[in-house]
């Protein structure tokens, strides 16, 4: 797959670069460039990211960072069985528990929420950092919802991290998940409150909490293109009405 000339491979994380030092120099550079493309495209073009991950995997399947990148690319494309296999391979190579939450979420994706809950109660969870533990809580709550256990999902998300007023990288997603669970359980007033809190903490727009809040408040947004079409058809916007009209 073509890679832009400006992508040199030096853009990758230093830990990944260190892993690639076990490869011949030219091969390491090729793998690094493909990994850079995976990272660049993962959110906006997951299919493209998957293609580059397969190239990297073909070149260096014994490098843990490559298996991890392939796992995330497969995960982004909802290829959960493939993603789980890659994450397991990466974990065997490193011994790290860092991927435990996303592995559990793959189990959810494969229609095995019970397995995800088993993983949420495993000793590995205690070895996760705070961000990982919050992620595991989100996965467990999702598994409860998969099983139709809405009240249990709400209780699962109730935690010191949720109650804290400090804003952490996970705060917006945690508050959003809690609001969404409340809404699914028919607790609309509480859901509105928590969507508002999610908006306050969502500094990088990682959720659509503002849209959900507006929806609960009955705010409708007119598409700009639709408005232009309406005006071209001779329709008038409210601002164009006679101001003296009662």
């Amino acid at each position: 797959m073509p890679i832009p000339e400006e992508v040199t491979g030096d853009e990758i994380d230093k830990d990944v670069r260190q892993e690639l030092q076990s490869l011949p120099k030219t091969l390491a550079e090729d793998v690094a460039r493909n990994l850079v493309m995976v990272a660049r495209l993962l959110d906006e073009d997951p299919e493209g990211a998957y293609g580059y991950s397969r190239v990297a995997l073909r070149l260096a399947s014994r490098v843990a960072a490559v298996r991890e990148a392939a796992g995330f690319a497969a995960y982004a494309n909802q290829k959960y069985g493939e993603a789980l296999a890659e994450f397991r391979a990466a974990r065997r190579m490193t011994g790290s528990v860092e991927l435990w939450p996303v592995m559990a979420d793959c189990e959810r994706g494969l229609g095995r929420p019970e397995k995800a809950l088993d993983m949420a109660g495993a000793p590995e969870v205690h070895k996760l950092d705070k961000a990982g533990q919050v992620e595991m809580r989100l996965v467990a709550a999702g598994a409860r919802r998969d099983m139709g256990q809405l009240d249990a999902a709400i209780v699962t998300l109730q935690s010191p991290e949720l109650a804290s007023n400090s804003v952490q990288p996970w705060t917006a997603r945690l508050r959003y998940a809690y609001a969404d669970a409340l809404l699914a359980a028919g607790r609309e007033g509480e859901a509105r409150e928590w969507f508002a809190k999610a908006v306050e903490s969502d500094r990088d727009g990682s959720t659509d909490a503002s849209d959900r809040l507006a929806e609960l408040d009955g705010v409708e947004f007119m598409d700009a293109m639709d408005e232009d079409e309406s005006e071209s058809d001779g329709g008038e916007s409210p601002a164009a009405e006679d101001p003296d009209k009662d």
Side-chain angles (χ1 to χ4, degrees):
M1 297 179 67
I3 297 177
E5 290 185 8
E6 67 268 17
V7 175
T8 65
D10 292 335
E11 302 89 342
I12 62 173
D13 183 86
K14 63 180 181 179
D15 292 334
V16 177
R17 189 180 300 113
Q18 188 172 356
E19 276 194 68
L20 295 179
Q21 287 179 356
S22 62
L23 303 173
K25 187 175 185 297
T26 302
L27 179 59
E29 290 174 353
D30 287 343
V31 174
R33 295 181 74 208
N34 277 282
L35 292 180
V36 170
M37 294 305 297
V38 173
R40 282 191 175 187
L41 298 176
L42 195 59
D43 292 332
E44 296 183 1
D45 181 12
E47 194 171 326
Y50 179 77
Y52 285 105
S53 76
R54 300 307 296 178
V55 175
L57 194 60
R58 188 168 64 248
L59 295 173
S61 63
R62 295 185 180 182
V63 175
V66 171
R67 303 303 289 266
E68 183 175 329
F72 277 110
Y75 179 81
N77 284 276
Q78 301 182 7
K79 299 177 184 289
Y80 298 116
E82 186 176 321
L84 185 57
E86 297 299 343
F87 290 142
R88 284 174 173 167
R91 183 167 181 267
R92 283 195 301 271
M93 293 175 179
T94 64
S96 171
V97 298
E98 186 178 295
L99 295 170
W100 197 253
V102 71
M103 289 168 63
D105 206 38
C106 285
E107 295 287 3
R108 284 186 60 212
L110 291 168
R112 301 193 292 246
E114 298 89 350
K115 178 62 176 176
L117 288 176
D118 288 343
M119 293 179 69
E124 285 83 352
V125 175
H126 301 294
K127 301 177 184 178
L128 294 168
D129 61 13
K130 181 61 69 175
Q133 290 179 6
V134 171
E135 195 64 36
M136 193 72 248
R137 190 178 291 276
L138 288 167
V139 173
R144 290 292 185 189
R145 290 189 63 173
D146 293 342
M147 299 167 68
Q149 300 173 2
L150 293 179
D151 290 338
I154 291 169
V155 171
T156 298
L157 293 168
Q158 292 170 347
S159 61
E161 294 81 19
L162 179 68
S164 175
N165 289 323
S166 68
V167 176
Q168 303 294 335
W170 59 76
T171 302
R173 292 180 58 240
L174 184 58
R175 291 177 175 179
Y176 182 95
Y178 189 58
D180 196 45
L182 288 168
L183 188 60
R187 295 161 61 174
E188 188 172 309
E190 293 172 87
R192 191 206 174 282
E193 176 187 348
W194 282 95
F195 275 126
K197 290 182 178 181
V199 170
E200 291 174 4
S201 57
D202 194 359
R203 295 169 179 172
D204 58 359
S206 62
T207 74
D208 65 345
S210 59
D211 292 340
R212 300 293 299 277
L213 183 61
E215 184 179 336
L216 284 173
D217 288 341
V219 177
E220 294 184 6
F221 297 99
M222 177 177 288
D223 189 284
M225 186 174 293
D226 292 341
E227 187 174 348
D228 290 342
E229 289 177 355
S230 176
E231 291 179 359
S232 66
D233 290 339
E236 292 184 335
S237 65
E241 291 179 2
D242 185 348
D244 296 326
K245 184 178 179 180
D246 292 332

